Amino acid sequence: MQILLLAAAILAATFSHSSAETLLERGAYLVNGIVACGNCHTPQTPQGPAQGKEFAGTIIADTPEFTAFAPNITPDKATGIGSWSKTELIRAIRDGVRPDGSLIGPPMPFSMYRHLSDRDVEAIATYVMQVPAVSNAVPKSEYRIPLPPAYGPPVAGVPEPRPENILDYGAYLAGPAGHCLECHTPMVAGHFDYDNQTGAGGLKFEGPWGISVASNITPHSDGRVAEYSDAELATVIRSGIRPDGSRLFPPMGVHYYASINDRDMAALVAFIRTLKPKPNGG
């Protein structure tokens, strides 16, 4: 109840301001915050994103199923998306289809991005298309599993989320925008088990840091989230530092989540509190 009251006050104070955002302002906030495009598309160093290589692409996964590279999404015409139209970029983000008709493969979270609102996906595309162009040729991803013919019918239109609907807006931030629920939900038979284990954690991510395991973010007794206050949970998301001083490992995008504003953080935390308790996944 405390977080709902706090969120309501913040939302009431900021809704009129947020509705006046330009597309570029909204896109900058999303891309460099909750959506965290650079978490995959920018080479990462121990000090954070590689300076001068923002959105220029990098390898993001090497598994038995595929070797995936996040492409260069800067407007460089030779190695990036400089020859794409905004409509083509929006189609790539939501439908997973490149201008040449080829399908983009995982781990791009199309099950989430298909539900980005029309304005938000246009804002993201508007921002990405004006970042500095970086020449950086990235290899094509290799898939050792069959890709589907499509991720669904073409997205026809998605309405704008209403920030004053706190829990619905929090669900939007945790799902289509931030895809938190994807990383924090176990997979069964190659599919995320949203029906039975949403938020239960357990996914393993390998990298230079070793192996990190996605936390259980449901209020289950096995999970740490149940022990955190709302303020502590917000701090963990923004800083990657738990109350006991231990740090979260990548790919948690704390460099980006630090800029999530109070309105959105309140809605996000309020939604996480509504998840059904689940034992640790994996």
Side-chain angles (χ1 to χ4, degrees), residues 23-173:
L23 279 175
L24 186 59
E25 289 169 341
R26 177 68 173 168
Y29 171 71
L30 291 171
V31 170
N32 297 309
I34 185 69
V35 181
C37 302
N39 204 35
C40 286
H41 289 273
T42 299
Q44 301 294 317
T45 74
Q47 290 74 42
Q51 297 298 309
K53 290 286 188 179
E54 289 85 355
F55 310 112
T58 183
I59 186 169
I60 52 174
D62 192 3
T63 71
E65 293 78 21
F66 51 78
T67 301
F69 292 86
N72 183 341
I73 58 171
T74 75
D76 181 68
K77 289 191 174 181
T79 64
I81 60 167
S83 62
W84 294 21
S85 69
K86 185 185 291 187
T87 298
E88 289 171 334
L89 180 54
I90 289 172
R91 185 186 183 209
I93 294 170
R94 290 208 294 199
D95 291 325
V97 180
R98 299 182 183 90
D100 64 6
S102 61
L103 196 72
I104 301 170
M108 187 78 164
F110 296 110
S111 65
M112 298 290 180
Y113 288 167
R114 290 178 61 80
H115 302 286
L116 282 168
S117 74
D118 294 344
R119 187 173 190 273
D120 276 355
V121 76
E122 184 180 2
I124 290 168
T126 297
Y127 178 78
V128 167
M129 296 185 80
Q130 61 79 59
V131 301
V134 179
S135 177
N136 184 47
V138 178
K140 290 184 177 180
S141 298
E142 299 178 10
Y143 292 95
R144 295 173 281 277
I145 55 173
L147 297 180
Y151 297 107
V155 179
V158 180
E160 188 73 6
R162 303 291 297 177
E164 67 268 31
N165 297 330
I166 298 167
L167 296 182
D168 288 346
Y169 189 57
Y172 177 81
L173 295 173

Side-chain angles (χ1 to χ4, degrees), residues 9 25 29 38 53 58 64 72 87 89 106 111 141 156 174 183-185 195 200 202-203 217 231 236-237 252 263:
E25 289 169 341
Y29 171 71
K53 290 286 188 179
T58 183
N72 183 341
T87 298
L89 180 54
S111 65
S141 298
C183 284
H184 288 276
T185 297
D195 291 336
L203 279 184
I217 59 172
V236 171
I237 295 170
M252 185 71 173
R263 176 199 70 181

Side-chain angles (χ1 to χ4, degrees), residues 202-207 209-215 248-252:
L203 279 184
K204 296 180 180 179
F205 301 91
E206 296 187 33
W209 58 86
I211 297 177
S212 55
V213 181
S215 301
L248 303 183
F249 287 117
M252 185 71 173

